[in-house]
Amino acid sequence: MTDAANPFVETPERAELRKAAAALGAKYGAQYFMDCAKQGRKTDELWKDAGDLGFIGVNLPEEYGGGGAGMYELAIVMEELAASGAGLLMLVVSPAICGNIIARFGTDDQKKKWIPGLADGSITMAFGITEPDAGSNSHMITTTAKRDGDDWILNGQKVFISGVDQADAVLIVSRTEDAKTGKLKPALFIVPTDAKGFTAQMIDMELQNPEKQFTLFLDDVRLPSDALVGSEDAALSQLFAGLNPERIMATASAVGTARFALGKAVEYVNDRTVWKAPIGTHQAIAHPLAQIKIELEASKLLMQKAATLYDAGDDWGAAEPANMGKYLAAETAVKAVDQAVHSMGGNGLTAEYGVAPMLGLVRIMRIAPVSREMILNFVATTSLGLPKSY
């Protein structure tokens, strides 16, 4: 918890975590991240170090090998790694979404089997919800699960699923076969990536990122009964329990990325001299950067509010700031990278300064894991009470 006398100052424990995560990020940095992307390598060294230091599972239950903290702490790790230029997408997926869902709704056996590995990074789990005809309209999911004795048989297709090539399993969102009403009745299954009938095909993306995207095909994938996480009838609430952490971590990633770009720009405009003065003395340069700083701080406050409410068990209360934070942080990150390039002129597009490769990566923050338009729909209907438009 924060200091009751000053709730906006992080506790000494959180401050130490932030310092340690920043040190790990500095050890690797943006060049390492981009080298991995260009060479087709995974960020295995960074991932292992993060696991060994207890960063990956800092939010997971202590009795199963986690750090016993919460989403606030995991968001700190994500923000600091992203601020170094080495944000790990799988931190969003493996400990935040999958880890939280299993920790809250899994059986004791599932927790014992999966959480220790998720916590130390020796096990990585991907998350499969999006389908070719079911993106934001997740009520249209058609991946089905059918009972066959004590087993389940899964059939369907998923798309834009992150990090499957480095995952031991995928937490698949399906629907029970008898859900024919058009209303979402999801059921969540842990599907090992070596399961018979499970195949993954990498999507060719115009992004320099070591963490890849995949299309998944599930053809009569047979799973034991203990692959089902929680209750098939309560899976909707279980699904949303994983979406708030997803948005909190997406916010942390965008906040860290904006910090990285803003830091590069500020360093450059303080050093670059034209007509005997640093170009940062010009308001046309300084004011856009100052505006980004303001929006960055506002994004971070929303993230901290969302994480605090989520960690207190208030899922619905966390939903509004989690969505708002993701929206504002993504917009700010896009603006920060664009303004950094603009402030640096031609140098902003060179490999030396390391900002140009982020132009594509940061743009996806407006789209995933939820688009800006769907967040605006959420705020319009839930926060403003306006009629639903879809």
Side-chain angles (χ1 to χ4, degrees), residues 133-383:
D133 295 316
S136 297
N137 57 333
S138 54
H139 287 257
M140 300 301 292
I141 283 174
T142 59
T143 297
T144 58
K146 178 183 178 181
R147 283 191 181 277
D148 184 26
D150 291 334
D151 293 346
W152 291 91
I153 307 294
L154 265 63
N155 283 281
Q157 184 178 346
K158 300 291 181 180
V159 70
F160 294 118
I161 309 305
S162 304
V164 179
D165 57 337
Q166 60 194 98
D168 301 275
V170 184
L171 184 61
I172 292 287
V173 182
S174 67
R175 59 193 306 164
T176 52
E177 192 180 44
D178 61 349
K180 303 296 186 181
T181 63
K183 295 182 179 179
L184 178 66
K185 185 183 177 184
L188 308 178
F189 292 89
I190 300 173
V191 181
T193 52
D194 62 358
K196 184 179 179 180
F198 177 96
T199 55
Q201 180 179 320
M202 191 172 75
I203 302 170
D204 190 14
M205 304 286 288
E206 290 292 338
L207 296 172
Q208 291 189 10
N209 194 329
E211 295 166 312
K212 306 303 182 183
Q213 300 294 310
F214 292 83
T215 299
L216 308 183
F217 301 92
L218 297 99
D219 298 310
D220 290 331
V221 175
R222 180 176 291 272
L223 300 170
S225 59
D226 63 1
L228 174 67
V229 178
S231 166
E232 59 181 290
D233 296 322
L236 185 60
S237 62
Q238 296 166 17
L239 174 60
F240 282 107
L243 296 185
N244 277 335
E246 178 186 58
R247 283 145 176 73
I248 291 167
M249 290 294 282
T251 306
S253 175
V255 166
T257 301
R259 282 177 50 196
F260 175 85
L262 183 61
K264 289 281 188 178
V266 168
E267 181 181 14
Y268 185 88
V269 303
N270 266 322
D271 182 65
R272 173 67 170 162
T273 299
V274 178
W275 293 302
K276 299 182 180 180
I279 61 173
T281 60
H282 303 304
Q283 292 177 352
I285 295 291
H287 284 185
L289 298 178
Q291 184 179 6
I292 289 165
K293 174 63 174 175
I294 292 169
E295 294 169 2
L296 173 58
E297 291 301 317
S299 302
K300 190 168 180 176
L301 286 172
L302 284 165
M303 175 183 72
Q304 292 170 330
K305 179 179 180 181
T308 299
L309 290 170
Y310 181 85
D311 290 339
D314 188 355
D315 288 342
W316 183 246
E320 182 182 71
N323 278 280
M324 288 181 173
K326 191 273 173 185
Y327 174 92
L328 185 58
E331 295 298 302
T332 304
V334 170
K335 186 185 297 185
V337 172
D338 182 72
Q339 189 61 42
V341 170
H342 197 69
S343 300
M344 297 163 127
N347 284 327
L349 295 172
T350 64
E352 177 184 356
Y353 286 88
V355 178
M358 301 176 68
L359 285 167
L361 289 174
V362 78
R363 184 60 181 79
I364 202 171
M365 292 179 178
R366 279 179 166 166
I367 302 169
V370 58
S371 70
R372 53 187 283 187
E373 288 75 20
M374 288 306 295
I375 291 179
L376 292 173
N377 283 335
F378 174 86
V379 173
T381 56
T382 61
S383 302

